[in-house]
Amino acid sequence: STGTASGAGTPVTGAVFGRNPRNQDQWIFATGTQTTLTQEHAKVKLAWDVSSTLRASYTFGLWKNDAFRTGESFLRDAAGNAVYSGSINISGRQFTVAATEISQNRADLEHHMHGLSIKSNTKGQWDWEVAASLYDYNRDLVRTPTIALPAANSGGAGRITNQDGTGWTTLALKGIWRPTFASGNHQVDLGLQRDSYKLRTLVSNASNWISGGAESRFSAFTGNSELTSLYAQDTWRVASDWRATLGGRFEKWQASNGTVSNATSTLGFVTRSENAFSPKAAIAWQVAPELVLKASLGRALRNPTVAELYQGSIAANVVVNNDPNLKAEKSWTSELSAEKTLEHGSLRATIFIEDTKDSLYSQTNVTVVPNITNIQNVDQIRTKGLEVAYHAADVWLKGFDISASFTYASSIIEKNDKNPASVGKWQPRVPRYRASALLGYRPNDQWMMTVGARYSGNQFSQLDNSDVNGMAYTGVSRYFIVDLRTRYRFDKQWSASLGVDNVNNAEYWNFHPFPNRTWVGEVKFDF
């Protein structure tokens, strides 16, 4: 942002002065990734009623993504030519633009998904389900130049990132048992689940990044993870106005075959295996026909992903940028809610408290020299808050509906030994206030009109809350947005709609600026 006071470098114009999320001076000199893409989606769903109580279903999904992302320089030399790299001079200060700072890439992706399930529906004492799925990166290539634009437009040296072989599988065996005892009715949910994930990433050098093949290895990382879970939950109708739920989930997590490679060497990691138990309990009391009180307490875990564990690099024969010893994120969550049935709808209020240990976040460890920035465990974050939700149909006049919610949350970092400056600060992406409302009016079967509003207070994306300027590239800002939509149905098949998003033309950011006032039209035909 400051450069060096000097007469050196190519004098340029076109750079835009501004401030970054930390409210520091900066020069904006190019676009990042202007994207032109074509996505293709296909899905086939088949179902077979084997009998009146047994159904088998299969789903196949295909997703293709061809994308071209490029940067465009704002900088112009004295002759008006675009400047993409090298030593430049802006108003008497010298800066250096790296060769790949304004770059481009091309992606060629094709992913396949299969899902299969067999499910019984007897409504009797026993029901069961077997479900399996497979997601496969059948083809996943991203090509990037290592030379500067505009020369890179014609080819030249670059790298190819290949994730072929990455994917995951799931298998779930579920059962429902509905016994009736003298103590009351029960519904027992039982399940055994296995999730398996594999990461395969190879980055290769290429003499022609546009059309050439992979040559020598530049880097690579691989790894597998498995999660096997066994759970049981009993929902017990203690009495006509009392219902209790008690359950538990045992998990065994394993990470294996983790490796990180550079051009000449590969470092491997030992297999990790950990067990955990997550209990839950809830109780509901029907105080009156129109009022129910609920309370719940539960524990949940989120294990680190393969990419978080092994996606790094090697420097001086030491792994950097990743931590293969990351701990699981562990949360205790409690809720107390009251829900009241009204004449035309319902009103619910919920108080919640969540205490999370070892949250997984990208941060800088300032306790080591040199500092390391990667995915790390944040010791403790505590969140307390209140949510109020209201829904009503045919209120005030027939066909007029309302849905609205308001959330207050106080989410504070209580302990973080690796980055003490973040202690006492707000958890990223959790605003103090958030609200939404949707008003709909249906005067008849043909017309439907809606007004939607969304509000979010200030947010941060950095753990130390140093990004105080949300109205900047990579920033996160507050917003208040109003959307309008009207739909007319001609008959059972044809309908048309017209709407305006962000009708109040608000400027707001979440990493990038969102569109201002936008008109949206649609004509739809249903078979």
Side-chain angles (χ1 to χ4, degrees), residues 46-59 114-122 126-133 170-176 190 192:
L46 304 173
W48 175 30
D49 288 325
V50 182
S51 68
S52 60
T53 61
L54 187 64
R55 164 169 282 207
S57 61
Y58 168 74
T59 300
H114 303 268
L116 177 66
S117 72
I118 303 175
K119 185 176 182 179
S120 74
N121 187 25
T122 65
W126 278 98
D127 274 309
W128 55 270
E129 180 182 5
V130 178
S133 68
T170 69
L171 175 64
L173 310 178
K174 305 176 184 179
I176 299 177
L190 305 166
L192 175 63

mmCIF file of all heavy atoms in Angstrom, residues 46-59 114-122 126-133 170-176 190 192:
data_model
loop_
_atom_site.group_PDB
_atom_site.id
_atom_site.type_symbol
_atom_site.label_atom_id
_atom_site.label_comp_id
_atom_site.label_asym_id
_atom_site.label_seq_id
_atom_site.Cartn_x
_atom_site.Cartn_y
_atom_site.Cartn_z
ATOM 1 N N LEU A 46 -34.938 -42.681 -10.303
ATOM 2 C CA LEU A 46 -35.787 -43.839 -10.571
ATOM 3 C C LEU A 46 -36.284 -44.404 -9.244
ATOM 4 O O LEU A 46 -35.528 -44.468 -8.274
ATOM 5 C CB LEU A 46 -35.012 -44.928 -11.323
ATOM 6 C CG LEU A 46 -34.353 -44.515 -12.645
ATOM 7 C CD1 LEU A 46 -33.496 -45.659 -13.178
ATOM 8 C CD2 LEU A 46 -35.407 -44.123 -13.667
ATOM 9 N N ALA A 47 -37.535 -44.795 -9.204
ATOM 10 C CA ALA A 47 -38.101 -45.397 -7.994
ATOM 11 C C ALA A 47 -38.945 -46.613 -8.380
ATOM 12 O O ALA A 47 -39.654 -46.600 -9.392
ATOM 13 C CB ALA A 47 -38.955 -44.384 -7.241
ATOM 14 N N TRP A 48 -38.857 -47.648 -7.555
ATOM 15 C CA TRP A 48 -39.597 -48.891 -7.812
ATOM 16 C C TRP A 48 -40.308 -49.299 -6.529
ATOM 17 O O TRP A 48 -39.667 -49.539 -5.505
ATOM 18 C CB TRP A 48 -38.628 -49.985 -8.268
ATOM 19 C CG TRP A 48 -39.266 -51.341 -8.439
ATOM 20 C CD1 TRP A 48 -40.556 -51.617 -8.799
ATOM 21 C CD2 TRP A 48 -38.634 -52.605 -8.245
ATOM 22 N NE1 TRP A 48 -40.768 -52.959 -8.862
ATOM 23 C CE2 TRP A 48 -39.603 -53.613 -8.520
ATOM 24 C CE3 TRP A 48 -37.350 -53.000 -7.883
ATOM 25 C CZ2 TRP A 48 -39.315 -54.967 -8.424
ATOM 26 C CZ3 TRP A 48 -37.061 -54.350 -7.800
ATOM 27 C CH2 TRP A 48 -38.043 -55.321 -8.071
ATOM 28 N N ASP A 49 -41.616 -49.347 -6.580
ATOM 29 C CA ASP A 49 -42.390 -49.848 -5.452
ATOM 30 C C ASP A 49 -42.402 -51.369 -5.508
ATOM 31 O O ASP A 49 -43.224 -51.975 -6.204
ATOM 32 C CB ASP A 49 -43.819 -49.296 -5.496
ATOM 33 C CG ASP A 49 -43.873 -47.823 -5.146
ATOM 34 O OD1 ASP A 49 -43.075 -47.395 -4.293
ATOM 35 O OD2 ASP A 49 -44.696 -47.099 -5.738
ATOM 36 N N VAL A 50 -41.446 -51.949 -4.797
ATOM 37 C CA VAL A 50 -41.318 -53.408 -4.799
ATOM 38 C C VAL A 50 -42.597 -54.038 -4.263
ATOM 39 O O VAL A 50 -43.057 -55.068 -4.750
ATOM 40 C CB VAL A 50 -40.096 -53.836 -3.961
ATOM 41 C CG1 VAL A 50 -39.927 -55.343 -3.992
ATOM 42 C CG2 VAL A 50 -38.839 -53.136 -4.465
ATOM 43 N N SER A 51 -43.165 -53.409 -3.255
ATOM 44 C CA SER A 51 -44.445 -53.845 -2.699
ATOM 45 C C SER A 51 -45.128 -52.619 -2.118
ATOM 46 O O SER A 51 -44.621 -51.493 -2.238
ATOM 47 C CB SER A 51 -44.248 -54.919 -1.625
ATOM 48 O OG SER A 51 -43.612 -54.367 -0.475
ATOM 49 N N SER A 52 -46.246 -52.801 -1.478
ATOM 50 C CA SER A 52 -46.957 -51.662 -0.902
ATOM 51 C C SER A 52 -46.213 -51.048 0.274
ATOM 52 O O SER A 52 -46.509 -49.922 0.680
ATOM 53 C CB SER A 52 -48.354 -52.103 -0.449
ATOM 54 O OG SER A 52 -48.249 -53.132 0.537
ATOM 55 N N THR A 53 -45.230 -51.754 0.828
ATOM 56 C CA THR A 53 -44.494 -51.248 1.992
ATOM 57 C C THR A 53 -42.992 -51.145 1.755
ATOM 58 O O THR A 53 -42.246 -50.836 2.679
ATOM 59 C CB THR A 53 -44.732 -52.159 3.207
ATOM 60 O OG1 THR A 53 -44.261 -53.493 2.898
ATOM 61 C CG2 THR A 53 -46.207 -52.204 3.573
ATOM 62 N N LEU A 54 -42.536 -51.406 0.520
ATOM 63 C CA LEU A 54 -41.098 -51.420 0.250
ATOM 64 C C LEU A 54 -40.811 -50.663 -1.041
ATOM 65 O O LEU A 54 -41.409 -50.938 -2.084
ATOM 66 C CB LEU A 54 -40.580 -52.853 0.138
ATOM 67 C CG LEU A 54 -39.065 -53.027 0.025
ATOM 68 C CD1 LEU A 54 -38.380 -52.535 1.307
ATOM 69 C CD2 LEU A 54 -38.714 -54.491 -0.237
ATOM 70 N N ARG A 55 -39.910 -49.674 -0.961
ATOM 71 C CA ARG A 55 -39.555 -48.871 -2.137
ATOM 72 C C ARG A 55 -38.039 -48.845 -2.303
ATOM 73 O O ARG A 55 -37.286 -48.667 -1.336
ATOM 74 C CB ARG A 55 -40.084 -47.450 -2.000
ATOM 75 C CG ARG A 55 -39.455 -46.464 -2.975
ATOM 76 C CD ARG A 55 -40.156 -45.132 -3.011
ATOM 77 N NE ARG A 55 -41.385 -45.211 -3.789
ATOM 78 C CZ ARG A 55 -41.909 -44.153 -4.426
ATOM 79 N NH1 ARG A 55 -41.336 -42.983 -4.365
ATOM 80 N NH2 ARG A 55 -43.037 -44.290 -5.106
ATOM 81 N N ALA A 56 -37.597 -49.015 -3.553
ATOM 82 C CA ALA A 56 -36.188 -48.876 -3.917
ATOM 83 C C ALA A 56 -36.054 -47.670 -4.832
ATOM 84 O O ALA A 56 -36.909 -47.437 -5.701
ATOM 85 C CB ALA A 56 -35.682 -50.134 -4.613
ATOM 86 N N SER A 57 -35.012 -46.881 -4.642
ATOM 87 C CA SER A 57 -34.807 -45.694 -5.472
ATOM 88 C C SER A 57 -33.330 -45.542 -5.818
ATOM 89 O O SER A 57 -32.444 -45.952 -5.057
ATOM 90 C CB SER A 57 -35.321 -44.442 -4.769
ATOM 91 O OG SER A 57 -34.638 -44.222 -3.548
ATOM 92 N N TYR A 58 -33.094 -44.957 -6.989
ATOM 93 C CA TYR A 58 -31.726 -44.731 -7.470
ATOM 94 C C TYR A 58 -31.664 -43.337 -8.075
ATOM 95 O O TYR A 58 -32.568 -42.911 -8.797
ATOM 96 C CB TYR A 58 -31.333 -45.772 -8.508
ATOM 97 C CG TYR A 58 -30.053 -45.437 -9.246
ATOM 98 C CD1 TYR A 58 -28.824 -45.571 -8.626
ATOM 99 C CD2 TYR A 58 -30.089 -44.954 -10.560
ATOM 100 C CE1 TYR A 58 -27.639 -45.246 -9.291
ATOM 101 C CE2 TYR A 58 -28.919 -44.630 -11.235
ATOM 102 C CZ TYR A 58 -27.695 -44.779 -10.594
ATOM 103 O OH TYR A 58 -26.536 -44.447 -11.243
ATOM 104 N N THR A 59 -30.584 -42.625 -7.784
ATOM 105 C CA THR A 59 -30.369 -41.287 -8.327
ATOM 106 C C THR A 59 -28.990 -41.218 -8.957
ATOM 107 O O THR A 59 -28.006 -41.668 -8.360
ATOM 108 C CB THR A 59 -30.477 -40.216 -7.231
ATOM 109 O OG1 THR A 59 -31.771 -40.266 -6.643
ATOM 110 C CG2 THR A 59 -30.247 -38.826 -7.806
ATOM 111 N N HIS A 114 -23.820 -41.047 -7.498
ATOM 112 C CA HIS A 114 -24.775 -42.146 -7.491
ATOM 113 C C HIS A 114 -25.387 -42.261 -6.093
ATOM 114 O O HIS A 114 -24.680 -42.150 -5.091
ATOM 115 C CB HIS A 114 -24.096 -43.488 -7.830
ATOM 116 C CG HIS A 114 -23.380 -43.486 -9.139
ATOM 117 N ND1 HIS A 114 -23.968 -43.874 -10.317
ATOM 118 C CD2 HIS A 114 -22.104 -43.120 -9.463
ATOM 119 C CE1 HIS A 114 -23.096 -43.772 -11.303
ATOM 120 N NE2 HIS A 114 -21.956 -43.314 -10.806
ATOM 121 N N GLY A 115 -26.675 -42.480 -6.022
ATOM 122 C CA GLY A 115 -27.337 -42.703 -4.743
ATOM 123 C C GLY A 115 -28.327 -43.842 -4.854
ATOM 124 O O GLY A 115 -29.077 -43.938 -5.831
ATOM 125 N N LEU A 116 -28.332 -44.734 -3.877
ATOM 126 C CA LEU A 116 -29.214 -45.908 -3.894
ATOM 127 C C LEU A 116 -29.794 -46.098 -2.500
ATOM 128 O O LEU A 116 -29.070 -46.020 -1.503
ATOM 129 C CB LEU A 116 -28.436 -47.160 -4.309
ATOM 130 C CG LEU A 116 -29.202 -48.484 -4.306
ATOM 131 C CD1 LEU A 116 -30.295 -48.469 -5.368
ATOM 132 C CD2 LEU A 116 -28.247 -49.655 -4.539
ATOM 133 N N SER A 117 -31.098 -46.335 -2.433
ATOM 134 C CA SER A 117 -31.708 -46.602 -1.135
ATOM 135 C C SER A 117 -32.838 -47.614 -1.279
ATOM 136 O O SER A 117 -33.501 -47.692 -2.327
ATOM 137 C CB SER A 117 -32.251 -45.313 -0.509
ATOM 138 O OG SER A 117 -33.406 -44.861 -1.195
ATOM 139 N N ILE A 118 -33.026 -48.403 -0.232
ATOM 140 C CA ILE A 118 -34.147 -49.342 -0.115
ATOM 141 C C ILE A 118 -34.784 -49.078 1.236
ATOM 142 O O ILE A 118 -34.101 -49.114 2.266
ATOM 143 C CB ILE A 118 -33.683 -50.799 -0.219
ATOM 144 C CG1 ILE A 118 -32.931 -51.038 -1.536
ATOM 145 C CG2 ILE A 118 -34.874 -51.746 -0.123
ATOM 146 C CD1 ILE A 118 -32.331 -52.423 -1.655
ATOM 147 N N LYS A 119 -36.086 -48.796 1.237
ATOM 148 C CA LYS A 119 -36.737 -48.322 2.448
ATOM 149 C C LYS A 119 -38.090 -48.982 2.627
ATOM 150 O O LYS A 119 -38.863 -49.080 1.678
ATOM 151 C CB LYS A 119 -36.901 -46.804 2.379
ATOM 152 C CG LYS A 119 -37.458 -46.163 3.631
ATOM 153 C CD LYS A 119 -37.491 -44.650 3.472
ATOM 154 C CE LYS A 119 -37.998 -43.981 4.740
ATOM 155 N NZ LYS A 119 -38.010 -42.498 4.596
ATOM 156 N N SER A 120 -38.350 -49.408 3.866
ATOM 157 C CA SER A 120 -39.667 -49.960 4.183
ATOM 158 C C SER A 120 -40.528 -48.895 4.834
ATOM 159 O O SER A 120 -40.016 -47.976 5.480
ATOM 160 C CB SER A 120 -39.536 -51.166 5.119
ATOM 161 O OG SER A 120 -39.215 -50.746 6.438
ATOM 162 N N ASN A 121 -41.842 -49.019 4.681
ATOM 163 C CA ASN A 121 -42.768 -48.045 5.249
ATOM 164 C C ASN A 121 -44.044 -48.772 5.670
ATOM 165 O O ASN A 121 -45.107 -48.591 5.087
ATOM 166 C CB ASN A 121 -43.079 -46.954 4.228
ATOM 167 C CG ASN A 121 -43.900 -45.830 4.823
ATOM 168 O OD1 ASN A 121 -43.873 -45.600 6.032
ATOM 169 N ND2 ASN A 121 -44.643 -45.142 3.978
ATOM 170 N N THR A 122 -43.899 -49.593 6.706
ATOM 171 C CA THR A 122 -45.043 -50.384 7.167
ATOM 172 C C THR A 122 -45.910 -49.622 8.147
ATOM 173 O O THR A 122 -47.076 -49.983 8.360
ATOM 174 C CB THR A 122 -44.542 -51.666 7.849
ATOM 175 O OG1 THR A 122 -43.830 -51.316 9.039
ATOM 176 C CG2 THR A 122 -43.625 -52.455 6.924
ATOM 177 N N TRP A 126 -41.795 -52.119 13.174
ATOM 178 C CA TRP A 126 -40.430 -51.981 12.649
ATOM 179 C C TRP A 126 -40.459 -51.379 11.241
ATOM 180 O O TRP A 126 -41.302 -51.725 10.428
ATOM 181 C CB TRP A 126 -39.724 -53.347 12.568
ATOM 182 C CG TRP A 126 -39.124 -53.807 13.855
ATOM 183 C CD1 TRP A 126 -39.661 -54.664 14.754
ATOM 184 C CD2 TRP A 126 -37.854 -53.409 14.380
ATOM 185 N NE1 TRP A 126 -38.825 -54.841 15.814
ATOM 186 C CE2 TRP A 126 -37.692 -54.076 15.615
ATOM 187 C CE3 TRP A 126 -36.837 -52.555 13.954
ATOM 188 C CZ2 TRP A 126 -36.560 -53.926 16.405
ATOM 189 C CZ3 TRP A 126 -35.710 -52.401 14.741
ATOM 190 C CH2 TRP A 126 -35.576 -53.081 15.953
ATOM 191 N N ASP A 127 -39.528 -50.472 10.958
ATOM 192 C CA ASP A 127 -39.220 -50.002 9.611
ATOM 193 C C ASP A 127 -37.711 -49.862 9.501
ATOM 194 O O ASP A 127 -37.022 -49.665 10.509
ATOM 195 C CB ASP A 127 -39.910 -48.672 9.302
ATOM 196 C CG ASP A 127 -41.322 -48.855 8.768
ATOM 197 O OD1 ASP A 127 -41.479 -49.649 7.817
ATOM 198 O OD2 ASP A 127 -42.257 -48.231 9.313
ATOM 199 N N TRP A 128 -37.205 -49.941 8.278
ATOM 200 C CA TRP A 128 -35.749 -49.896 8.098
ATOM 201 C C TRP A 128 -35.412 -49.237 6.765
ATOM 202 O O TRP A 128 -36.259 -49.088 5.877
ATOM 203 C CB TRP A 128 -35.146 -51.299 8.162
ATOM 204 C CG TRP A 128 -35.777 -52.275 7.182
ATOM 205 C CD1 TRP A 128 -36.857 -53.077 7.412
ATOM 206 C CD2 TRP A 128 -35.393 -52.494 5.825
ATOM 207 N NE1 TRP A 128 -37.175 -53.794 6.294
ATOM 208 C CE2 TRP A 128 -36.285 -53.464 5.296
ATOM 209 C CE3 TRP A 128 -34.392 -51.992 5.002
ATOM 210 C CZ2 TRP A 128 -36.184 -53.929 3.987
ATOM 211 C CZ3 TRP A 128 -34.284 -52.442 3.687
ATOM 212 C CH2 TRP A 128 -35.173 -53.412 3.209
ATOM 213 N N GLU A 129 -34.135 -48.877 6.627
ATOM 214 C CA GLU A 129 -33.651 -48.271 5.383
ATOM 215 C C GLU A 129 -32.170 -48.577 5.217
ATOM 216 O O GLU A 129 -31.402 -48.563 6.182
ATOM 217 C CB GLU A 129 -33.865 -46.759 5.378
ATOM 218 C CG GLU A 129 -33.377 -46.087 4.102
ATOM 219 C CD GLU A 129 -33.542 -44.582 4.118
ATOM 220 O OE1 GLU A 129 -33.956 -44.037 5.155
ATOM 221 O OE2 GLU A 129 -33.257 -43.938 3.072
ATOM 222 N N VAL A 130 -31.784 -48.860 3.974
ATOM 223 C CA VAL A 130 -30.379 -48.996 3.591
ATOM 224 C C VAL A 130 -30.099 -47.947 2.516
ATOM 225 O O VAL A 130 -30.819 -47.893 1.511
ATOM 226 C CB VAL A 130 -30.062 -50.400 3.048
ATOM 227 C CG1 VAL A 130 -28.597 -50.483 2.627
ATOM 228 C CG2 VAL A 130 -30.385 -51.465 4.088
ATOM 229 N N ALA A 131 -29.112 -47.103 2.738
ATOM 230 C CA ALA A 131 -28.807 -46.029 1.795
ATOM 231 C C ALA A 131 -27.304 -45.980 1.545
ATOM 232 O O ALA A 131 -26.502 -46.099 2.476
ATOM 233 C CB ALA A 131 -29.303 -44.684 2.320
ATOM 234 N N ALA A 132 -26.933 -45.818 0.282
ATOM 235 C CA ALA A 132 -25.520 -45.730 -0.089
ATOM 236 C C ALA A 132 -25.361 -44.655 -1.159
ATOM 237 O O ALA A 132 -26.272 -44.408 -1.956
ATOM 238 C CB ALA A 132 -25.007 -47.067 -0.612
ATOM 239 N N SER A 133 -24.200 -44.005 -1.161
ATOM 240 C CA SER A 133 -23.938 -42.987 -2.174
ATOM 241 C C SER A 133 -22.462 -42.984 -2.544
ATOM 242 O O SER A 133 -21.601 -43.438 -1.779
ATOM 243 C CB SER A 133 -24.355 -41.599 -1.677
ATOM 244 O OG SER A 133 -23.513 -41.172 -0.622
ATOM 245 N N THR A 170 -20.680 -43.140 1.084
ATOM 246 C CA THR A 170 -21.401 -43.254 2.349
ATOM 247 C C THR A 170 -22.250 -44.510 2.335
ATOM 248 O O THR A 170 -22.727 -44.941 1.283
ATOM 249 C CB THR A 170 -22.319 -42.042 2.600
ATOM 250 O OG1 THR A 170 -23.397 -42.068 1.655
ATOM 251 C CG2 THR A 170 -21.555 -40.736 2.460
ATOM 252 N N LEU A 171 -22.428 -45.087 3.490
ATOM 253 C CA LEU A 171 -23.313 -46.242 3.671
ATOM 254 C C LEU A 171 -24.011 -46.075 5.010
ATOM 255 O O LEU A 171 -23.363 -45.869 6.032
ATOM 256 C CB LEU A 171 -22.533 -47.555 3.647
ATOM 257 C CG LEU A 171 -23.358 -48.819 3.948
ATOM 258 C CD1 LEU A 171 -24.421 -49.040 2.883
ATOM 259 C CD2 LEU A 171 -22.448 -50.039 4.076
ATOM 260 N N ALA A 172 -25.345 -46.143 4.993
ATOM 261 C CA ALA A 172 -26.123 -45.968 6.217
ATOM 262 C C ALA A 172 -27.156 -47.074 6.342
ATOM 263 O O ALA A 172 -27.891 -47.361 5.400
ATOM 264 C CB ALA A 172 -26.802 -44.600 6.218
ATOM 265 N N LEU A 173 -27.187 -47.693 7.525
ATOM 266 C CA LEU A 173 -28.212 -48.691 7.874
ATOM 267 C C LEU A 173 -29.052 -48.092 8.993
ATOM 268 O O LEU A 173 -28.526 -47.781 10.065
ATOM 269 C CB LEU A 173 -27.560 -49.997 8.337
ATOM 270 C CG LEU A 173 -26.476 -50.588 7.437
ATOM 271 C CD1 LEU A 173 -25.898 -51.853 8.066
ATOM 272 C CD2 LEU A 173 -27.021 -50.894 6.050
ATOM 273 N N LYS A 174 -30.343 -47.906 8.734
ATOM 274 C CA LYS A 174 -31.205 -47.227 9.699
ATOM 275 C C LYS A 174 -32.406 -48.106 10.052
ATOM 276 O O LYS A 174 -32.911 -48.857 9.205
ATOM 277 C CB LYS A 174 -31.717 -45.904 9.127
ATOM 278 C CG LYS A 174 -30.626 -44.963 8.653
ATOM 279 C CD LYS A 174 -31.231 -43.722 8.013
ATOM 280 C CE LYS A 174 -30.154 -42.810 7.444
ATOM 281 N NZ LYS A 174 -30.736 -41.607 6.796
ATOM 282 N N GLY A 175 -32.836 -47.988 11.285
ATOM 283 C CA GLY A 175 -34.007 -48.734 11.721
ATOM 284 C C GLY A 175 -34.864 -47.912 12.658
ATOM 285 O O GLY A 175 -34.355 -47.049 13.391
ATOM 286 N N ILE A 176 -36.170 -48.143 12.617
ATOM 287 C CA ILE A 176 -37.115 -47.483 13.519
ATOM 288 C C ILE A 176 -37.928 -48.567 14.226
ATOM 289 O O ILE A 176 -38.543 -49.419 13.571
ATOM 290 C CB ILE A 176 -38.058 -46.531 12.771
ATOM 291 C CG1 ILE A 176 -37.261 -45.424 12.076
ATOM 292 C CG2 ILE A 176 -39.077 -45.925 13.730
ATOM 293 C CD1 ILE A 176 -38.130 -44.489 11.259
ATOM 294 N N LEU A 190 -32.394 -46.237 15.338
ATOM 295 C CA LEU A 190 -31.104 -46.910 15.413
ATOM 296 C C LEU A 190 -30.373 -46.729 14.086
ATOM 297 O O LEU A 190 -31.004 -46.660 13.027
ATOM 298 C CB LEU A 190 -31.281 -48.402 15.694
ATOM 299 C CG LEU A 190 -32.099 -48.780 16.934
ATOM 300 C CD1 LEU A 190 -32.467 -50.256 16.877
ATOM 301 C CD2 LEU A 190 -31.301 -48.465 18.189
ATOM 302 N N LEU A 192 -26.353 -47.316 11.853
ATOM 303 C CA LEU A 192 -24.925 -47.573 11.677
ATOM 304 C C LEU A 192 -24.532 -46.891 10.378
ATOM 305 O O LEU A 192 -25.163 -47.106 9.337
ATOM 306 C CB LEU A 192 -24.641 -49.071 11.607
ATOM 307 C CG LEU A 192 -23.196 -49.484 11.312
ATOM 308 C CD1 LEU A 192 -22.261 -49.024 12.430
ATOM 309 C CD2 LEU A 192 -23.088 -50.995 11.108
#
